[in-house]
Structures are given as C-alpha cells and as structure tokens.
C-alpha cells in the first residue's frame, strides 16, 4: 500500500506524539522502509538498483524514498547516464547513518531468535580488523550492560 501524500510526520517543532519510538515509527515503521535502508547501506543508491534488488513496486519505492528524504534520513544527488535524462540517487544523511545501529540491532535479534539453518546472510565486523561486533547498551564510561539491567523510565520533568 502506498503512503498517502497527506501522511502526518512529526517534526522538530511538533510535540506530539510524545513518545520517541512512535515518532520514529512514523518514518521507519514499514517493512519496505528498513529494507530500502539496508540496500542503501549496502551501496545501492539508484532507484532502479534498489527496485531490482528488492522486487518492490515502483510506486511503493518512490513513496518510501520520498518519506525518507522529507524526514532528513536521505538526501538526493542528480546524475545522468549518457543519452538519458537526469535522475536522482539516494544517499544517507548523518541522521540516516545513525540508523546503521538500528538495522544492526534488528539483524542481531533476527540472527539469535529467527536464525536461518544455513546461517546469517551477513555478519557485523569491525572495518579495520574484521573482528566480530555486536550491538549493546553502554554506560557513560563505555562499559556494556546486559539488556536485563536496562529499563525505560518515563520522563516526568517539565514539558514531558
């Protein structure tokens, strides 16, 4: 289903919804959106290569790319193949780059709780050494905390 053009996505001047998870899901909450981001992280930047890789309908892909661009996750660049019209390629903004952590956490959860018999389709590795990495909670000193040692506490301060 295409994203309606009247879709309301909160911005930096909107106070509603108050929950950051809900605000994030306004942009990221559809399956295709995360798969589009996965492909862009993998180096696919052109509409045709993303569409071909995912097998997504062109109108759905167009809607996802537009939403991600309007939300400040992607920026566009113009390119032109010889003899063709100008087209757009899609690149991550700094906000988009930060979503690598979100995708890695989803991948790590899937590898653990929804594993494939043949093993993971990709691995998380340190770029410099190839050493395996995992996603986790860190305290202010950089020490990892077990997930069961972390809780979400409602903010009851002014303006909460």
């Amino acid at each position: 289903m295409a994203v309606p053009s009247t879709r309301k996505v909160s911005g930096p001047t909107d106070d509603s919804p108050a929950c950051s998870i809900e605000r994030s899901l306004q942009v990221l909450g559809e399956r295709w959106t995360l798969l589009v981001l996965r492909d862009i992280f993998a180096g696919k930047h052109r509409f045709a290569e993303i569409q071909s890789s995912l097998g997504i309908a062109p109108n759905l892909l167009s809607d996802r790319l537009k939403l991600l661009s309007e939300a400040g996750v992607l920026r566009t660049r113009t390119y032109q193949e010889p003899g063709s019209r100008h087209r757009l390629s899609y690149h991550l903004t700094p906000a988009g780059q930060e979503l690598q952590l979100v995708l890695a956490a989803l991948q790590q959860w899937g590898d653990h709780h929804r594993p494939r018999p043949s093993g993971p389709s990709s691995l998380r590795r340190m770029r410099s050494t190839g050493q395996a990495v995992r996603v986790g909670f860190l305290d202010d000193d950089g020490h990892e905390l077990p997930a069961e040692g972390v809780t979400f506490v409602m903010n009851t301060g002014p303006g909460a």
Side-chain angles (χ1 to χ4, degrees), residues 33-113:
T33 302
L34 295 175
L35 296 176
V36 166
L37 287 170
R38 179 197 65 190
D39 272 15
I40 292 172
F41 272 108
K44 295 176 179 79
H45 299 284
R46 296 179 177 185
F47 188 98
E49 52 189 8
I50 298 168
Q51 198 268 329
S52 174
S53 169
L54 296 176
I56 184 175
N59 63 320
L60 287 177
L61 178 56
S62 181
D63 288 340
R64 297 307 174 269
L65 292 169
K66 180 180 179 194
L67 177 64
L68 289 166
S69 296
E70 289 174 353
V73 173
L74 297 178
R75 61 183 161 74
T76 58
R77 292 183 192 156
T78 303
Y79 73 93
Q80 185 176 19
E81 296 286 340
S84 297
R85 63 180 173 86
H86 285 84
R87 297 175 189 257
L88 297 176
S89 62
Y90 299 88
H91 304 270
L92 297 161
T93 64
Q97 286 288 341
E98 290 181 26
L99 289 169
Q100 184 175 21
L101 184 65
V102 174
L103 292 178
L106 285 169
Q107 179 194 35
Q108 181 173 290
W109 184 89
D111 289 348
H112 183 76
H113 296 285

